[in-house]
Amino acid sequence: MVGKKSGKALLREEGLERTDNSMSLTSWPEVNPINQKNYYTEFLKRDDQILPYRLQQEERRNRMTTHAKNRDRELAQVGLEETTAVDPDIDLGDDVGLDDTTVPGQEQLGSKIIVIHPGSQNMRIGLASDSLPKTVPMCIARQWAKSESEDRDGEPRPKRQKTNSGSVMAPEKMFGPTFANEYTTMSTELKIYMRSNKQRVLPNSKELVVNYNKRIEPESISEHNDPLRIDWTELTPKPPPYFTGKEALRVPDYSNPRYKLFWPLQCGQYNEKDYDEKLHLYNDITVIIEEAIKNQLGLRRKREWAQYSCVFVIPDLYEREYVTQTFDMVMRDMGFGRIAFIQESLAASYGAGYTITCVVDIGAQKTSICCVDDGMCVEESRINLKYGGFDVTETFIKMLLFDHFPYEDINLKRRYDFLLAEEIKSQYCNLKIEDVTVQPGEFHLRAPHQETRKYSFKFYDEKYLAPRGFFQPDIFDNAPKLDGRRKIIQPSTNIYSGSLDDPLSSAQSAIIHACVQLSGKDTTNGDPNGNLPSTPLRQPPGLLQRLNEPNDRSSPAGNSAAGDDEDSTPAPGGDSNPKNGQNLLSSVFQEEILPIAPLEHAILTSILYGARNDERKMRDFLGGIMIIGGGSQIPMLDLFLEEALKKAKPPNAKDVQVGAKPRDLDPQVVAWKGASVFGRIPSTDDLWIGRIEYDRLGARVLNNKVNWIW
């Protein structure tokens, strides 16, 4: 039997005995591990540890020092012996702005602030000290192989269907059976409504219009006899590579060399359909804004722009890529000294002077709805619909062509036809039911290198039914609006979870889910191609029922509108938690769904989520609806919208009121005017982003420098 061995013997036999001289492995001092149960840090727990706040405090101290020195100098010059000490705790940010505009001898307040509000069709730009902005078409014409009217083998807009032999179909069939049925249904419903209101309806009104338009021939007018002839953009022997603004719209379509017209923003977002590279898209936006600053504001020396600040108006439901790219463009490419961002609806409330309102901004290609309460946009009430004033223009032209419009070759891809269509719409379209009679009209067609042609025509209900498309969006051509989406620019995603970072409100989520439900498609797996439908929404399912529910904690409307409780009931067409709009679309490709809904139902959806189970706010929002934007200039639109909202029978329907033009301002410039007011308020100093913050932090500084959750 083997005896028991000692520990040292085992170490020696196993080769584990230490044979060194007990020297440490390194000469670096050893750090003992901290006690995990008792340690504390203040890293990034105080405002003075964050760069934007630190710079703000330094700027405030510098202003206070400068103000004290200036005051002492003035008192010394007048020979006063007794001076009043400056209170070290005074906050001079309330009476001395960042640009020191209150110091005697300085320029006018706001003269160093440029306000920019870009849109899909027009851009408003001007100094904050200006009473009204300059309007510049948001387009650029670049030298190209073909013009936009020659692309796709010269396919016109609106698109006409052709027969098997290649000829264009009759006007009643050229836009397909869907449009024909929708248009005929709307006409029939209008006649029934007019008869029920004891208005005279001629039984053969359509026949009178068609027979008159068929036999009309244009009248030629020589150029020297046309007092309103157009001065087209002249091309020099060495033409420039591009034109912007109004000059771009006046370049002849068949010029030599050819120029193609680009609209970098469409439907309130980047126009990826007409671009193959995102750098080309970004560069076009930069060039349009820079040329507007040089030509419209007279600031031709770019090195002087560092002395100016910029207020940039962004959509309520923005894309993060759009904001960050704009941030880089303004600070890096244009070289402005500071920038501040403001959302469209909040800017409109500043311009109108309203503290609580529901803003309905009808633009050229998008309509945004948002509730504003005490200087903040209610996040869950934001809605962005992809239709606007241009859809009314296109539908109006289709209806006229359907009734044998004498100028049958009109093509909205041609620049002079596009301007003509906008002119005809603004001249004749309205929502006055008493004006729905057979009426004559005329227009002058002015094309480059051609004599002016004068056309006469008759119309009946087209001018009334086209703007009715806001309330029946099925009549609009919604199919191509998602073409090219995410072709060159990918959405912003969270680096940790991989989910989309772009904001999506509960109201917008309800609209999108209702569109998907009405389509009858499976939202879990999608269709075989991974696409989802863009069916317009006639009425959000369950919305009006929820609006009429008793307003208490036990009601579905109360639980879902509050959106803060775990036991809340589903939103219209959504999941059980409307607080986070992203959750409502977890199983749906939200990028492939086109948000389309009747205007009155979209407004009620926005107010439902904006009120948050508060009956007082519900009354305030319903009684403070404000419509702005170029698409809102259709006569009687405000009264028609008010009547449509009351017919929907929401709670407190008697309180529904659509306000008139705020302060007698042009509704197109209300948002720009509010942004100019915002830029001149000293108390908004916290929202300005300077050069040092941009150079050191980049887009990360937006977390601390915007007045919404970034």
Side-chain angles (χ1 to χ4, degrees), residues 342 344-354 626 628 661-665 669-678:
I342 184 173
E344 286 178 335
S345 295
L346 181 58
S349 68
Y350 274 101
Y354 295 164
M626 175 177 61
I628 61 173
K661 295 180 181 179
R663 298 185 179 180
D664 294 329
L665 280 174
V669 303
V670 172
W672 182 93
K673 191 66 176 179
S676 67
V677 173
F678 169 83

Side-chain angles (χ1 to χ4, degrees), residues 136-294:
V136 180
M138 193 67 187
C139 62
I140 181 172
R142 288 190 176 274
Q143 286 193 19
W144 216 257
K146 295 180 179 180
S147 65
E148 66 276 10
S149 60
E150 296 173 320
D151 280 346
R152 300 183 181 180
D153 298 327
E155 179 184 76
R157 183 172 185 176
K159 182 179 179 181
R160 281 84 152 172
Q161 294 188 2
K162 297 182 178 181
T163 61
N164 295 332
S165 60
S167 60
V168 179
M169 290 185 174
E172 297 84 358
K173 301 179 181 179
M174 64 170 56
F175 300 117
T178 302
F179 176 81
N181 294 336
E182 192 73 24
Y183 181 31
T184 304
T185 302
M186 292 178 68
S187 298
T188 304
E189 292 175 352
L190 177 60
K191 289 181 179 179
I192 296 174
Y193 176 79
M194 293 176 63
R195 288 193 180 100
S196 64
N197 284 271
K198 306 301 178 66
Q199 293 185 349
R200 184 181 179 185
V201 179
L202 295 177
N204 59 342
S205 299
K206 285 289 185 180
E207 290 77 6
L208 293 175
V209 171
V210 171
N211 293 334
Y212 179 85
N213 291 338
K214 281 182 178 180
R215 63 175 185 268
I216 287 298
E217 294 293 335
E219 175 186 352
S220 296
I221 302 175
S222 58
E223 184 177 358
H224 63 274
N225 288 330
D226 185 8
L228 299 178
R229 60 182 180 273
I230 296 175
D231 295 329
W232 302 97
T233 302
E234 296 182 1
L235 302 182
T236 59
K238 292 183 178 180
Y242 61 81
F243 293 96
T244 62
K246 294 181 180 179
E247 288 186 344
L249 288 174
R250 297 303 186 187
V251 176
D253 291 83
Y254 304 105
S255 61
N256 187 17
R258 290 285 195 274
Y259 282 83
K260 183 177 179 180
L261 202 62
F262 289 92
W263 302 84
L265 297 179
Q266 295 284 270
C267 296
Q269 58 199 17
Y270 285 134
N271 178 19
E272 302 176 62
K273 177 182 178 181
D274 296 334
Y275 289 87
D276 296 326
E277 297 180 0
K278 60 181 179 181
L279 292 180
H280 182 198
L281 171 61
Y282 297 155
N283 185 55
D284 279 0
I285 297 176
T286 304
V287 170
I288 293 172
I289 296 178
E290 288 182 348
E291 291 297 319
I293 294 174
K294 294 177 182 178

